[in-house]
Amino acid sequence: MSELLPRIPDSWDKDLTYQAHGTLSECVIRELEPVGQYYLAHARRKLHNYSFLVDER
Amino acid sequence: MAPSAKVAIGLRIGQTYSSIAIITKDGRTDCIANEDGERQIPTMIAFMGDEEFTGTQAKLQALGNPKNTIAKFRNLIGLSFDDILPETSLPTSPISNFDSVPGYIITHNSQEKSYTVSEITTKYISRLRESAEDFLGQAVDGAVLAIPLYFTQSQREALRQAAEAAGLRVLQLIHEPAAAAVAYYRGGSKDVLAVIVDLGSESIDVTVMSIRSGMYTILGTTHSPQVGGNAFDDLLVTHFSSEFKRKTGIDISSNKRALTKLKSAVETTKKTLSSSTTALCSVESLAEGIDFNGNINRTRFEIMSRKLFDKCVEFVKEAIGNVGIEPVLVEEVIFIGGAIRIPKLQARIRDIFSHPSTVIRQELEPDEVISYGCAYQASLIINMTNTDIAERIGKDITITPHLTKPVGIVNASGNFVVVVPDNTPLPVRRVVEFSINDDQRDCYISVWEGELRLVKSDRNMNNENESQTGEDENNDNAE
Ligand SMILES: Nc1ncnc2c1ncn2[C@@H]1O[C@H](COP(=O)(O)OP(=O)(O)OP(=O)(O)O)[C@@H](O)[C@H]1O
Ligand SMILES: [Mg+2]
């Protein structure tokens, strides 16, 4: 069952594609446990500076 | 990746029991037994005449040959003698000081010999490697070993060196709770907030872990040597020795030999009580040639163990409290460690997580699961070079920013739908499906973080860059 998205409200400026209201809160720096295949994929992307898309090719 | 002929094993060296796991031909993880048929191999070594014993054979020597029997060395590795708290009650070979290096003086082959803790560990791991090789019929190409979270850098290094001296290529050392988690979740990528409760023989370790996109992050942990399987054994020793005194008038409280005999017998009694409601305890010639035969029912055991159960509950609550979460947020509780099999203890821990949505996981044998995780991890990296492995698990890679708050989208009913939960390591990519009404030609994607709105955006469905499935607009910010 997928969620329904709302319609664009009338108050929305139709010329804008998006509007930013803020940024992400400060992240916490934590240490990953270096186990599992997803971690290894993460390590591979980070080492080679790959994005998710490049990594999949 | 092409299938490889290389064979890797997972090793869990516990303070009192160890286990060896492999990936079987059909892809399952399983423990293998040593030549005595033990899957849980006592972490002990004994020397007798010109022979060297490990496992239960060594444990049996503790009685008649205590000076040449070595136990509880796992936690001493990599420590200096001065860091070690004196252990007075050990019925086995005492720890000696060799220029601040801990070790043991034993008699082997009628000669006095001294071995450091590292050398003993190497001997022990060699035997585990040999057991694995006998079973597999071929040499082991690499191993992943589990270590407790509280191991220091020098302890890790010392264990690695001891294992390498035992002829193993050490692929990686991984934390015990991480090993247990990967054994449970393996290739899955579902998000879970899990608490791992490990009741071993000498300690309780509780770890709060967030699992996000198949990656594991420890949020908090408590470790206490105050409770463990041994503490329950001690209660039974006290119970039965007073029964023996009542029956015979003989006080064994300072009779080391009698206590050792009783202690080894009550461990079986305790284990039996996990599956039966009554259990026997029999010791031949406990003291002054008199046999002891006692029995106990589970209720009695539970009453005398109440304080220990309370402590376990306290440590579990402390661990989740330290992380600042409520038990209701915990999605899964994983039971590991041999002593977690005590039914009342499980019930007491379940009571903390009484919310119906919290799942208790214990499908895998609690004293084998850590080695399963090691074997699985070993299978993933066995074909990599040491340099590659080191590069991939180095601090540069593991130290990663994590989201502090969940990020999500507001749906048509105005509710916040979490797309990326808090504690997710970045960068992250999530694909989620949203739909729109049949008559709807545009949609409004409002991205929020926790309670805070970040981005408002729309997609006109007639636009060229239309998106049928609403993508998380926050991806770019996140990366
Ligand atoms: N069926 C059972 N019922 C109760 N206790 C059990 C059962 N099976 C094993 N135990 C206990 O579990 C303990 C061993 O657990 P485990 O192998 O996880 O410890 P360990 O890893 O060697 O110790 P530690 O984690 O403290 O270093 C022992 O005290 C043992 O008696
Ligand atoms: Mg343990």
Side-chain angles (χ1 to χ4, degrees):
Chain A
M1 184 202 73
S2 75
E3 299 274 352
L4 225 50
L5 282 174
R7 293 167 197 276
I8 295 180
D10 293 339
S11 57
W12 181 259
D13 179 346
K14 301 280 183 198
D15 295 332
L16 283 178
T17 50
Y18 75 95
Q19 187 184 346
H21 290 261
T23 52
L24 273 184
S25 298
E26 194 87 16
C27 286
V28 250
I29 304 297
R30 295 190 193 276
E31 194 168 349
L32 290 172
E33 294 298 306
V35 295
Q37 65 186 58
Y38 290 91
Y39 171 81
L40 290 172
H42 159 86
R44 188 176 59 226
R45 287 190 301 268
K46 208 159 163 178
L47 270 173
H48 304 296
N49 235 332
Y50 287 163
S51 69
F52 285 94
L53 277 176
V54 172
D55 190 43
E56 276 160 10
R57 276 184 204 135
Chain B
M1 211 188 293
S4 142
K6 283 191 178 171
V7 176
I9 58 170
L11 283 185
R12 162 187 90 100
I13 320 279
Q15 173 79 332
T16 46
Y17 288 94
S18 300
S19 36
I20 314 164
I22 51 159
I23 305 277
T24 60
K25 293 219 161 59
D26 55 358
R28 282 178 312 114
T29 340
D30 201 7
C31 269
I32 63 180
N34 68 2
E35 40 304 334
D36 297 320
E38 301 166 317
R39 293 159 71 94
Q40 293 307 312
I41 306 161
T43 311
M44 291 174 88
I45 294 198
F47 301 88
M48 170 76 162
D50 59 356
E51 288 200 89
E52 216 178 280
F53 302 104
T54 50
T56 298
Q57 291 202 33
K59 201 173 177 178
L60 293 171
Q61 294 283 323
L63 203 60
N65 181 21
K67 284 201 169 59
N68 298 315
T69 304
I70 300 173
K72 300 190 183 178
F73 53 86
R74 194 280 308 260
N75 282 354
L76 306 181
I77 193 148
L79 294 181
S80 135
F81 183 84
D82 316 294
D83 297 336
I84 298 171
L85 298 173
E87 163 89 78
T88 45
S89 64
L90 222 58
T92 48
S93 182
I95 305 160
S96 302
N97 186 355
F98 306 129
D99 282 333
S100 289
V101 176
Y104 307 88
I105 299 170
I106 54 103
T107 308
H108 191 202
N109 262 334
S110 324
Q111 276 181 335
E112 192 164 273
K113 284 196 177 154
S114 47
Y115 290 112
T116 62
V117 165
S118 289
E119 286 165 343
I120 289 298
T121 307
T122 293
K123 274 185 181 295
Y124 184 73
I125 296 176
S126 295
R127 286 295 292 269
L128 297 185
R129 179 181 55 74
E130 284 162 18
S131 296
E133 291 178 345
D134 283 350
F135 178 89
L136 294 163
Q138 71 177 95
V140 168
D141 297 298
V144 168
L145 277 72
I147 49 166
L149 265 174
Y150 53 81
F151 256 28
T152 63
Q153 195 52 42
S154 67
Q155 289 189 281
R156 296 168 146 255
E157 210 28 63
L159 181 66
R160 176 184 285 277
Q161 281 171 15
E164 273 167 4
L168 277 181
R169 176 180 169 220
V170 177
L171 301 166
Q172 195 183 349
L173 302 176
I174 64 178
H175 289 135
E176 291 178 340
V182 82
Y184 267 100
Y185 302 113
R186 290 188 66 161
S189 66
K190 100 175 167 190
D191 295 327
V192 186
L193 185 73
V195 170
I196 298 158
V197 184
D198 180 351
L199 195 68
S201 45
E202 299 260 292
S203 68
I204 182 168
D205 292 273
V206 184
T207 308
V208 182
M209 191 179 276
S210 87
I211 297 140
R212 301 289 183 244
S213 318
M215 288 194 272
Y216 305 83
T217 307
I218 290 173
L219 302 180
T221 179
T222 54
H223 161 72
S224 168
Q226 285 178 43
V227 234
N230 266 334
F232 292 94
D233 297 344
D234 290 340
L235 289 177
L236 287 171
V237 166
T238 311
H239 173 79
F240 286 124
S241 50
S242 55
E243 187 176 323
F244 187 66
K245 190 173 171 189
R246 226 173 28 244
K247 284 180 176 165
T248 64
I250 304 168
D251 182 2
I252 60 162
S253 59
S254 50
N255 180 343
K256 245 188 171 175
R257 193 181 147 81
L259 288 174
T260 307
K261 276 187 162 179
L262 187 55
K263 179 127 185 170
S264 137
V266 299
E267 191 185 353
T268 313
T269 311
K270 174 191 67 179
K271 288 182 184 174
T272 307
L273 283 175
S274 293
S275 47
S276 315
T277 49
T278 62
L280 300 174
C281 174
S282 313
V283 184
E284 224 175 279
S285 176
L286 180 57
E288 297 177 23
I290 303 173
D291 297 347
F292 173 71
N293 287 295
N295 66 63
I296 183 166
N297 65 39
R298 191 188 277 173
T299 311
R300 185 70 207 265
F301 173 69
E302 288 170 355
I303 292 170
M304 61 198 229
S305 306
R306 189 175 291 153
K307 278 206 179 108
L308 292 179
F309 296 148
D310 288 346
K311 276 196 181 143
C312 292
V313 167
E314 200 182 294
F315 289 122
V316 174
K317 285 186 173 165
E318 189 183 314
I320 53 178
N322 287 348
V323 172
I325 55 168
E326 294 296 324
V328 49
L329 290 177
V330 174
E331 291 154 305
E332 300 201 348
V333 180
I334 300 178
F335 282 164
I336 67 170
I340 203 80
R341 291 198 181 92
I342 299 172
K344 186 71 177 178
L345 180 70
Q346 296 192 356
R348 291 289 307 273
I349 297 174
R350 276 170 199 273
D351 285 346
I352 310 175
F353 302 100
S354 53
H355 197 271
S357 66
T358 305
V359 180
I360 306 280
R361 305 291 303 266
Q362 52 177 338
E363 311 87 275
L364 303 176
E365 289 297 331
D367 37 22
E368 301 192 345
V369 52
I370 291 175
S371 57
Y372 292 177
C374 291
Y376 173 68
Q377 178 67 10
S379 73
L380 294 180
I381 59 177
I382 180 70
N383 291 312
M384 293 184 187
T385 66
N386 287 351
T387 325
D388 279 348
I389 296 171
E391 209 177 42
R392 278 168 171 74
I393 67 178
K395 287 269 186 273
D396 294 351
I397 309 291
T398 56
I399 301 283
T400 298
H402 285 61
L403 281 186
T404 44
K405 292 178 180 149
V407 172
I409 291 174
V410 175
N411 67 12
S413 334
N415 296 323
F416 178 66
V417 180
V418 174
V419 175
V420 190
D422 52 344
N423 291 311
T424 299
L426 302 181
V428 61
R429 180 183 61 176
R430 286 290 163 103
V431 178
V432 282
E433 273 194 30
F434 283 86
S435 46
I436 50 172
N437 281 321
D438 291 344
D439 65 334
Q440 199 174 334
R441 297 189 54 235
D442 56 25
C443 66
Y444 178 70
I445 303 172
S446 178
V447 179
W448 293 62
E449 179 202 58
E451 303 295 281
L452 180 85
R453 184 172 56 171
L454 285 177
V455 183
K456 234 188 194 179
S457 70
D458 74 334
R459 282 279 189 271
N460 188 317
M461 298 309 280
N462 293 330
N463 268 0
E464 296 207 305
N465 57 345
E466 70 182 24
S467 95
Q468 270 86 16
T469 59
E471 268 179 51
D472 177 10
E473 281 300 302
N474 202 55
N475 268 344
D476 299 341
N477 292 25
E479 289 209 25

